[in-house]
Amino acid sequence: MRPETLLTSGSFAALVLMAVGVLAGCLGSDEGKNYAVPKSLCGVSLESALIDELLPSGNKVDVQEKNPGPSRKRCQVIVDGKAALEVSQEWWPEGDTVVDVAQGVPQVKSAVLTDDSDFLLTGTGAVQQARCPSSERPDHVLFTTAQVYADGVDDSEAMQKLITAYTRAVEGSAVCR
């Protein structure tokens, strides 16, 4: 078949329409993450892959630290203007447990206590007890929390990796020395 024949036939027009449809479908399917995933959460360095697994698609990311009181430090990751992920460090009186802390963490409402009793986890939240003595906070225990607020993000394995790495990083930081 000669090119002139293709141009005059309906098959060429159909081919062009099909190609345009395929391209349009590819462009609109998943916008992906058009932002750089943070490498730290308010001064706590982590592998960005641990954070990435729990963030939604979007175009812009912002990380904000909030300290609602002297015993609590929160770090919020915001994607396209909406809260997507939050981690915190919270000092609680000695004797309080992860179950006590979890009562104030909505994202762990259906969590199961682990065998070592210092860890609660769901696909959208976790609470873990940090192992660090603090001379600045006698008679207190440090807990870390993580909560996912992004729609469609629910991954227990990723949450476990994040809370474990975050807790270990906090234990090695100045807050635990």
Side-chain angles (χ1 to χ4, degrees):
M1 196 183 271
R2 295 187 327 201
E4 297 85 12
T5 308
L6 277 176
L7 290 173
T8 59
S9 72
S11 63
F12 182 74
L15 183 62
V16 168
L17 288 173
M18 186 173 77
V20 169
V22 168
L23 285 174
C26 289
L27 292 174
S29 63
D30 184 32
E31 63 187 20
K33 293 177 185 166
N34 299 319
Y35 55 81
V37 175
K39 295 178 182 172
S40 71
L41 297 174
C42 301
V44 178
S45 295
L46 295 169
E47 292 179 34
S48 58
L50 295 171
I51 302 166
D52 181 48
E53 292 184 59
L54 294 168
L55 293 179
S57 298
N59 294 309
K60 183 180 179 214
V61 69
D62 187 28
V63 178
Q64 297 178 357
E65 183 173 325
K66 300 178 183 216
N67 299 312
S71 63
R72 184 171 293 153
K73 177 181 177 179
R74 290 186 177 159
C75 184
Q76 197 170 67
V77 181
I78 300 164
V79 176
D80 293 343
K82 294 181 180 178
L85 174 69
E86 181 179 277
V87 293
S88 72
Q89 302 168 29
E90 302 180 16
W91 289 99
W92 283 65
E94 195 171 319
D96 284 337
T97 67
V98 292
V99 174
D100 298 319
V101 177
Q103 290 177 7
V105 182
Q107 303 309 90
V108 294
K109 59 186 172 262
S110 62
V112 177
L113 190 62
T114 60
D115 292 336
D116 59 9
S117 299
D118 73 347
F119 189 83
L120 270 168
L121 171 75
T122 67
T124 58
V127 177
Q128 185 167 16
Q129 182 177 340
R131 302 288 181 203
C132 60
S134 174
S135 58
E136 293 179 21
R137 299 209 184 261
D139 304 321
H140 284 79
V141 178
L142 182 63
F143 291 90
T144 58
T145 69
Q147 299 178 78
V148 172
Y149 297 105
D151 291 334
V153 179
D154 186 341
D155 187 335
S156 296
E157 186 177 330
M159 181 57 72
Q160 182 173 1
K161 289 177 188 177
L162 175 73
I163 195 67
T164 301
Y166 182 73
T167 303
R168 297 302 164 248
V170 168
E171 289 172 340
S173 73
V175 75
C176 278
R177 295 183 206 137

